[in-house]
Amino acid sequence: LSFLAGCSAGSRQGLLDAGYSTQYVDGYMDGYSAGCHVAGHPLYSFTRDIARYEHDSQYMKGWNAGFTLSWEIDLFGRLRRQNESAYAFYLATSEARRGVLITLVADVASNYFLLRDLDLQLQIARQTLQANEEMVAFYRSRLRGGVSNRLEYDTAVANRARTAAVIPVLEQQIANTENALSLLVGRPPGAIQRGVALTAQHLPPQVPAGLPVGLLERRPDVLQAEQLLVSANADVGAAKALFFPPINLTGLFGGLSK
């Protein structure tokens, strides 16, 4: 935008320098510019300006167009260090993506095993509630027959109420865990299909002692930090190269109306 504004301002100033007063320079200008610059590659741009103005009740039209090509000689390594920094930063983002994927898979696995554990707890709670119901009926019949006292019956009723209060809490925890799993896998909240029971799951093997410390270098967070360090080091080299003047080779080709 600033390059285009500079071209437009230069065309208007040229008309004023030619002797045309501001009140006579009344028209429109349009311009076009395009350019591209990548480190280590030439900078190129194309400009075009068209102006129409009025002078002594006569309309005049002028134009100019040009093509500029510029190449910077990377004598002090600034562009090379910038490329190195950008590539290292790209590798760091790639390792960060791997870290996010590993964390996502770990969260899905931990939440699924938590869900299966809650299912097992709910199953045990329901079985316990059924056993408490039988115990309450048993002590009620003994109390009516005069064989048992009121304390044993009240204790059985209290155990049944305590077990019944646990079941809604477990059901709520199961629903929350299912919603969390649905969110992790990118689905709307809903029920999760169950697989093998928790007691039938294969346990992972034990990590043996004496593993080399070099295995830690395979961690994505360690690799990400290493690449960020490489990128920062390359940025330092590019900043040091700014102490030296850049060397550019520039060529211009175009035309100007008479």
Side-chain angles (χ1 to χ4, degrees), residues 41-62:
H41 296 276
L43 169 67
Y44 61 90
S45 63
F46 174 75
T47 61
R48 183 193 65 187
D49 286 316
I50 301 176
R52 187 183 66 180
Y53 48 89
E54 181 181 358
H55 176 60
D56 294 337
S57 300
Q58 295 182 358
Y59 287 96
M60 303 181 65
K61 187 176 182 180

Side-chain angles (χ1 to χ4, degrees), residues 66-117:
F67 181 80
T68 304
L69 180 65
S70 178
W71 180 279
E72 180 177 351
I73 301 177
D74 193 18
L75 184 62
F76 303 104
R78 181 178 64 86
L79 300 179
R80 177 176 55 83
R81 298 292 281 175
Q82 286 180 347
N83 283 338
E84 181 182 352
S85 174
Y87 183 67
F89 188 79
Y90 162 73
L91 294 180
T93 56
S94 178
E95 295 300 333
R97 177 180 178 274
R98 286 187 56 232
V100 171
L101 289 178
I102 292 176
T103 303
L104 177 62
V105 172
D107 289 343
V108 171
S110 61
N111 279 276
Y112 179 77
F113 284 117
L114 175 60
L115 178 63
R116 299 303 289 157
D117 179 64

Side-chain angles (χ1 to χ4, degrees), residues 154-178:
D154 291 341
T155 302
V157 172
N159 290 334
R160 182 187 62 182
R162 188 182 303 109
T163 304
V166 173
I167 293 179
V169 177
L170 291 175
E171 291 176 346
Q172 182 181 7
Q173 292 178 356
I174 289 175
N176 293 337
T177 307
E178 286 180 332

Side-chain angles (χ1 to χ4, degrees), residues 4 13 20 23 28 39 51-52 63 66 77 126 141 147 150 152-153 161 163-164 171 181 225 227 230 236 239 248 258:
L4 180 60
Q13 186 63 37
Y20 298 98
Q23 58 181 350
Y28 69 91
R52 187 183 66 180
W63 60 269
R126 288 173 176 172
S141 62
V147 180
R150 187 74 184 184
E152 293 179 342
Y153 174 75
T163 304
E171 291 176 346
L181 274 173
Q227 294 301 326
V230 173
V236 172
N248 296 323
K258 298 182 180 179

Side-chain angles (χ1 to χ4, degrees), residues 230-254:
V230 173
S231 177
N233 183 52
D235 288 336
V236 172
K240 288 183 178 180
L242 292 176
F243 285 105
F244 305 97
I247 302 176
N248 296 323
L249 299 178
T250 305
L252 175 63
F253 176 79

